[in-house]
């Protein structure tokens, strides 16, 4: 009878009176997080909830379009604890946390490709200033690296982070065991990552660089380059545009 009165919406039922019935997965609840920093990662969202709820990375679906939103899957008995984190702070930002539908989580997960490439990609944090792709390859000696992307700020300075893609899930998993290994006297942190996360971080840095270049005293202009290999670096682009005053 319910199916005749309403329509299936995701995995919830929209009734004739406009109300949605709770997800058919009665053991699970879902919350939406709004106000995240643009560069927020799945790990950071998981850690935000860690004070009240234990989550796996697969329980977090991020929107990789700088919207500052994420969807989180948890056990229904942990819903109240998760909602109690509403208006808590991540960095300097107050986050909104409110209940949502299973369908919202699944649409975000499928539309962003949250797990695409995640098994062979890691994020490095704490790199020494001036670290190069060669330094990173030497750090991971013995593991086959496909590509390295070193993050930079709007002014071209390195952020101390980089993404490294390996030839296989096994290599990436082995790379995680080098967490806290030293490079030039600095302990390097290594985390599992996704391509969606990497692209979101890159997009936010690109936007910051464009904003920094706008409105300058020297009448700067910004151009958009499309079709770059995903591992393209600032040095590659500088070489490409070499000779332009």
């Amino acid at each position: 009878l319910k199916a005749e009165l309403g329509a299936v919406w995701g995995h919830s039922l929209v009734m004739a009176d406009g109300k949605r019935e709770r997800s058919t997965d009665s053991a699970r609840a879902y919350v939406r997080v709004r106000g995240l920093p643009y560069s927020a990662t799945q790990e950071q969202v998981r850690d935000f909830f860690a004070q009240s709820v234990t989550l796996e990375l697969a329980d977090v679906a991020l929107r990789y379009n700088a919207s500052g939103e994420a969807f989180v899957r948890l056990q229904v008995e942990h819903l109240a604890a998760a909602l109690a984190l509403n208006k808590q702070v991540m960095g300097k930002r107050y986050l909104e946390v409110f209940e949502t539908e299973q369908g919202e989580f699944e649409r975000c997960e499928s539309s962003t490709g949250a797990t695409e490439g995640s098994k062979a990609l890691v994020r490095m944090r704490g790199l020494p200033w001036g670290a190069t792709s060669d330094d990173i390859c030497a750090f991971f000696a013995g593991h086959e690296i496909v590509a390295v992307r070193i993050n930079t700020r709007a002014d071209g300075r390195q952020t101390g982070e980089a993404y490294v893609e390996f030839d296989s899930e096994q290599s990436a998993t082995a790379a995680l065991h080098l967490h806290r290994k030293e490079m030039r006297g600095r302990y390097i942190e290594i985390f599992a990552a996704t391509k969606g996360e990497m692209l979101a971080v890159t997009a936010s840095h690109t936007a910051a660089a464009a904003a920094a270049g706008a409105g300058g005293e020297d009448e700067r202009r910004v151009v958009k380059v499309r079709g770059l290999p995903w591992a393209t670096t600032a040095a590659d682009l500088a070489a490409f545009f070499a000779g332009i005053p």
Side-chain angles (χ1 to χ4, degrees):
L1 178 59
K2 288 183 179 180
E4 294 174 357
L5 294 175
V8 175
W9 185 85
H11 286 266
S12 302
L13 197 60
V14 181
M15 305 306 295
D17 60 5
K19 295 181 180 179
R20 293 192 183 102
E21 189 178 59
R22 181 176 287 277
S23 165
T24 55
D25 184 357
S26 59
R28 296 282 192 169
Y30 299 82
V31 298
R32 182 177 183 178
V33 186
R34 189 162 60 193
L36 292 165
Y38 293 153
S39 59
T41 66
Q42 285 177 295
E43 290 159 335
Q44 290 171 323
V45 175
R46 179 195 61 188
D47 293 345
F48 173 79
F49 283 94
Q51 52 192 304
S52 303
V53 180
T54 300
L55 299 173
E56 301 293 336
L57 284 182
D59 293 322
V60 179
L62 281 169
R63 286 197 192 279
Y64 296 118
N65 60 0
S67 67
E69 290 185 332
F71 295 86
V72 177
R73 174 178 57 204
L74 40 81
Q75 296 297 320
V76 69
E77 61 266 25
H78 297 151
L79 176 60
L83 294 176
L85 296 175
N86 185 46
K87 297 300 183 182
Q88 294 300 304
V89 177
M90 176 185 286
K92 297 182 179 179
R93 305 191 63 164
Y94 288 96
L95 303 188
E96 296 178 87
V97 181
F98 46 95
E99 189 174 6
T100 190
E101 302 278 347
Q102 179 178 345
E104 290 276 14
F105 175 91
E106 292 178 348
R107 274 191 293 280
C108 179
E109 187 177 45
S110 61
S111 65
T112 58
T115 60
E116 180 185 357
S118 61
K119 295 182 179 179
L121 193 69
V122 302
R123 175 168 60 94
M124 304 178 73
R125 186 168 66 187
L127 292 168
W129 183 86
T132 65
S133 296
D134 288 341
D135 293 329
I136 291 173
C137 289
F139 180 87
F140 290 115
H143 304 291
E144 189 66 30
I145 291 176
V146 174
V148 174
R149 172 173 283 180
I150 299 174
N151 294 340
T152 56
R153 297 186 175 89
D155 58 5
R157 291 184 301 166
Q158 295 179 0
T159 65
E161 294 192 351
Y163 288 91
V164 183
E165 184 179 18
F166 294 88
D167 66 332
S168 67
E169 176 185 352
Q170 290 74 21
S171 292
T173 300
L176 294 174
H177 294 299
L178 298 179
H179 182 68
R180 303 290 292 174
K181 177 183 174 181
E182 288 190 20
M183 178 188 291
R184 297 190 204 162
R186 299 192 61 166
Y187 289 108
I188 307 300
E189 297 176 283
I190 305 174
F191 310 95
T194 68
K195 281 191 177 179
E197 169 195 327
M198 180 189 68
L199 293 173
V201 171
T202 301
S204 66
H205 291 167
T206 301
E217 296 179 358
D218 56 353
E219 294 287 332
R220 294 181 182 178
R221 294 292 184 269
V222 176
V223 298
K224 180 178 180 180
V225 183
R226 190 164 57 186
L228 295 169
W230 78 264
T232 300
T233 66
D236 294 331
L237 285 171
F240 180 80
F241 287 107
I244 298 178

